[in-house]
């Protein structure tokens, strides 16, 4: 089994090269994510990386997201082990 990697190390490594997604909460809108690379943690899977598009790019049919995730994967593979998420939806799982 691969060793787990920390959320902070992945976020800091990606933050040097890519725009990171941030969360904001509004009283009426709930939680929203800005466009950029999204780093999250999962108890069972570890660190998960995704790309969040802004609403203006939704018409791209996911081309922008897939392209950005390919760039992110290439960058992450220079330092970490990267696997596909079990849901096969483009998300990445990062480990050492």
């Amino acid at each position: 089994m691969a060793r787990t990697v920390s959320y902070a190390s992945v976020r800091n490594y990606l933050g040097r090269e890519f725009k990171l997604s941030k969360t904001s909460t509004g009283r009426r809108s709930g939680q929203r994510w800005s466009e950029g690379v999204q780093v999250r943690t999962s108890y069972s899977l570890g660190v998960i990386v995704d790309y969040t598009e802004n609403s203006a790019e939704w018409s791209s049919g996911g081309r922008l997201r897939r392209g950005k995730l390919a760039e992110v994967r290439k960058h992450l593979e220079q330092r970490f082990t990267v696997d596909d998420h079990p849901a096969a939806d483009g998300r990445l799982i990062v480990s050492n």
Side-chain angles (χ1 to χ4, degrees):
M1 178 166 187
R3 294 183 317 166
T4 59
V5 63
S6 76
Y7 165 87
S9 64
V10 172
R11 188 166 171 86
N12 290 337
Y13 183 69
L14 286 173
R16 293 185 206 129
E17 191 73 24
F18 298 95
K19 177 183 172 188
L20 297 175
S21 179
K22 296 185 174 113
T23 183
S24 61
T25 53
R27 289 186 350 193
R28 294 182 185 196
S29 61
Q31 190 171 15
R32 292 186 179 189
W33 291 90
S34 64
E35 181 177 357
V37 177
Q38 186 182 66
V39 180
R40 295 179 289 165
T41 58
S42 163
Y43 179 76
S44 59
L45 297 173
V47 178
I48 299 173
V49 176
D50 198 358
Y51 186 83
T52 305
E53 299 177 69
N54 68 26
S55 58
E57 301 296 335
W58 288 349
S59 62
S60 74
R63 285 188 317 271
L64 173 67
R65 179 176 174 261
R66 285 190 302 273
K68 290 290 186 179
L69 281 171
E71 291 176 35
V72 168
R73 180 182 202 120
K74 194 174 197 179
H75 184 67
L76 283 170
E77 286 176 336
Q78 295 174 15
R79 181 168 173 191
F80 303 104
T81 301
V82 181
D83 296 309
D84 293 323
H85 191 279
D89 59 1
R91 290 180 286 176
L92 308 172
I93 299 174
V94 183
S95 58
N96 278 343

